Amino acid sequence: MTEVRDVVAAASQLTDAEFLEVVRAVAAGRPGLGALLAAVDVGAAIPAEDPVTAEVVPHIAPAVPEPDYTPGGVPTFDRVRERIEGRFGTGMGSSELAHDSPSGQSLDEAWEKREKAGKAKLDEIRRSLGKQ
């Protein structure tokens, strides 16, 4: 019995690949251990460790916050005001450009014609009711 313990102690010191080779050598000459030999072959086909295929990403130091931001990365009130004013200015400029374009001018002219026609119709209705 001590010999079995000695064999187990020696086998536990082996690497997985070495242990599989020992089991394969022992089971090779014994027909009753065919299932064990098949299990050893399956075990040998499974890699001991999964290869690392991840891309190595270099460590990037945190950027120094812009002057308009707090150290925590929160924008200051001045920064927020500047962005709102910038967006407002962009919107106003876009509307001015739209009105100056040929399609914007034709829309303005159509609006004016509709307004004049609406006022004329309203005056006609008031006259027919005798209010003017």
Side-chain angles (χ1 to χ4, degrees), residues 65-80:
E66 294 182 29
D68 294 337
Y69 288 86
T70 65
V74 178
T76 62
F77 287 115
D78 290 335
R79 173 71 175 171
V80 172

Side-chain angles (χ1 to χ4, degrees), residues 3-130:
E3 293 175 9
V4 172
R5 287 188 187 148
D6 293 339
V7 170
V8 170
S12 65
Q13 305 258 332
L14 299 173
T15 65
D16 289 350
E18 292 171 338
F19 182 74
L20 288 175
E21 286 300 317
V22 169
V23 172
R24 188 176 288 120
V26 170
R30 300 181 180 182
L33 298 178
L36 179 61
L37 189 57
V40 168
D41 291 337
V42 169
I46 299 172
E49 294 181 16
D50 292 335
V52 178
T53 58
E55 178 181 332
V56 176
V57 178
H59 175 71
I60 299 173
V64 177
E66 294 182 29
D68 294 337
Y69 288 86
T70 65
V74 178
T76 62
F77 287 115
D78 290 335
R79 173 71 175 171
V80 172
R81 187 188 73 244
E82 288 173 8
R83 291 200 59 190
I84 291 171
E85 288 174 353
R87 289 182 180 175
F88 178 76
T90 302
M92 291 298 293
S94 296
S95 67
E96 288 176 11
L97 287 174
H99 285 291
D100 291 342
S101 69
S103 63
Q105 290 175 354
S106 66
L107 286 175
D108 287 340
E109 291 170 3
W111 178 262
E112 289 173 14
K113 287 179 184 177
R114 190 175 308 157
E115 284 287 316
K116 286 180 185 178
K119 286 181 183 180
K121 186 68 172 176
L122 184 60
D123 288 341
E124 180 185 332
I125 293 171
R126 284 183 179 156
R127 272 183 285 194
S128 71
L129 294 175

